[in-house]
Amino acid sequence: MEKQNKKRVLVLPSDENGSGWYRMIQPYGRAASSLVAFDVKFLEGEVDGEYLSELFSGYDGILCQRVFDWGLLGHLRKFQERGGVVVMDCDDLLMNIPSFNISRVFWDGEKLKGYREAKRICDYLHSSTEELSGAMGYRGKTCIFKNAVDISVRLGDSAEKDFRGRLGIPMGMKVIMWGGSTGHNDTLEFLLPIIKHYSTVEGVVVVLVGNRSWMRGLGVVDSDKVLIIDSMELKDYLYLPAMADVFLTPLMGNLEFNRCKSELKVLESGVWGVPCVSS
């Protein structure tokens, strides 16, 4: 029997450090299949139309993420007209971002219109949860693709990743940790009394990962008992939960945007075997 040629799929992550890494680069950059070959490519800035046409011509399918650019949408339509299959990944309910979330400014107006159009024309929706797929209102074919964290992050140089030592946390201190972006105002406000309480408990230090100015604006007072890690590279962030004794991952259930979130924070702590307190 003649050997069947592999189908080729072009994977276009929206970024190299956030959802693009977790949902596109990490899983498909290492995917091995006898039927499909995945090529991951990050399109940075404005991309020439002729380049896209030539690039797309070598593939049978395209897996894209957070598409909102009308020029790119036009090339995806042409790709479909030639028989190509377009799959769109989604991991957040971008059509219903809470008013306090600063991402809402970015996803207003034309960008959100473009995103809705991408959802409309795609052949499949590649979603992180069933709740999100339902809330998106997508009536076509859906694939639930759960988030994952590469277990090989545990194999790094432990001395290089000694965050307790780098932060000056004494041996024997228990570490309670939470991390989140500036879109999680409701979560941080919920945690404020917990942070305040544990800042007075002997033998405990609270470590918060996120924007320092934002946290201070919401009332967090950093001290030798409340440490704020302002920013770090993804390769370091993945190791960070290893120093925690407890990882906090509350999510306010009163917002549809939150109910459509995935279990990523639980995975980030679970890969290190750190107990996680969730809602």
Side-chain angles (χ1 to χ4, degrees):
M1 179 183 288
E2 185 178 344
K3 188 175 180 179
Q4 186 177 8
N5 291 330
K6 281 188 176 184
K7 296 292 185 181
R8 297 189 67 206
V9 175
L10 177 63
V11 180
L12 300 176
S14 61
D15 58 66
E16 296 180 284
N17 293 307
S19 61
W21 186 84
Y22 283 104
R23 298 188 53 75
M24 311 285 270
I25 297 171
Q26 179 189 216
Y28 291 106
R30 301 182 182 185
S33 169
S34 60
L35 300 176
V36 182
F38 296 99
D39 294 332
V40 179
K41 193 168 187 65
F42 181 64
L43 300 178
E44 192 168 9
E46 291 190 19
V47 182
D48 180 73
E50 290 185 13
Y51 168 77
L52 284 179
S53 295
E54 185 176 347
L55 176 65
F56 290 179
S57 67
Y59 292 93
D60 303 286
I62 295 175
L63 171 57
C64 52
Q65 187 179 47
R66 300 195 176 198
V67 173
F68 58 84
D69 180 81
W70 289 92
L72 178 56
L73 278 167
H75 286 282
L76 290 174
R77 288 195 196 94
K78 291 177 182 177
F79 177 75
Q80 289 174 310
E81 290 170 1
R82 296 196 299 268
V85 175
V86 173
V87 182
M88 188 176 80
D89 176 70
C90 62
D91 67 323
D92 269 329
L93 188 60
L94 299 177
M95 293 89 88
N96 195 7
I97 300 174
S99 58
F100 59 76
N101 190 320
I102 63 172
S103 298
R104 182 165 178 158
V105 176
F106 179 85
W107 284 104
D108 269 353
E110 284 300 305
K111 290 187 177 68
L112 191 56
K113 288 180 183 177
Y115 183 74
R116 289 181 186 275
E117 179 64 8
K119 182 196 75 169
R120 189 188 70 79
I121 71 166
C122 69
D123 299 292
Y124 295 87
L125 191 69
H126 184 267
S127 172
S128 55
T129 69
E130 292 180 3
E131 291 83 359
L132 178 57
S133 293
M136 289 278 286
Y138 183 71
R139 304 188 184 282
K141 298 177 181 178
T142 302
C143 165
I144 304 301
F145 186 79
K146 294 289 187 179
N147 283 318
V149 176
D150 185 356
I151 196 70
S152 69
V153 300
R154 300 190 64 168
L155 305 179
D157 183 346
S158 59
E160 182 184 342
K161 306 299 179 184
D162 177 21
F163 288 110
R164 281 183 181 245
R166 286 160 61 177
L167 293 171
I169 299 174
M171 293 294 293
M173 291 283 280
K174 298 297 183 182
V175 174
I176 298 175
M177 183 178 293
W178 176 80
S181 68
T182 51
H184 292 284
N185 287 38
D186 56 341
T187 302
L188 186 55
E189 288 172 348
F190 171 80
L191 288 173
L192 283 176
I194 298 171
I195 295 167
K196 184 177 180 180
H197 168 73
Y198 280 104
S199 69
T200 65
V201 175
E202 284 294 321
V204 175
V205 63
V206 179
V207 175
L208 306 174
V209 186
N211 184 279
R212 187 185 305 275
S213 298
W214 167 66
M215 290 189 182
R216 285 176 172 171
L218 288 177
V220 176
V221 179
D222 45 339
S223 63
D224 59 343
K225 297 293 298 292
V226 179
L227 305 179
I228 299 177
I229 301 176
D230 204 346
S231 63
M232 60 173 48
E233 293 185 32
L234 178 65
K235 62 183 179 65
D236 284 335
Y237 173 76
L238 293 171
Y239 284 86
L240 196 60
M243 79 173 196
D245 294 285
V246 176
F247 204 81
L248 303 178
T249 61
L251 203 58
M252 305 299 99
N254 60 325
L255 297 173
E256 186 180 33
F257 181 80
N258 285 345
R259 291 196 296 273
C260 292
K261 283 283 191 179
S262 70
E263 71 285 26
L264 184 57
K265 293 296 181 186
V266 178
L267 294 175
E268 288 174 349
S269 60
V271 74
W272 297 102
V274 175
C276 182
V277 180
S278 301
S279 55

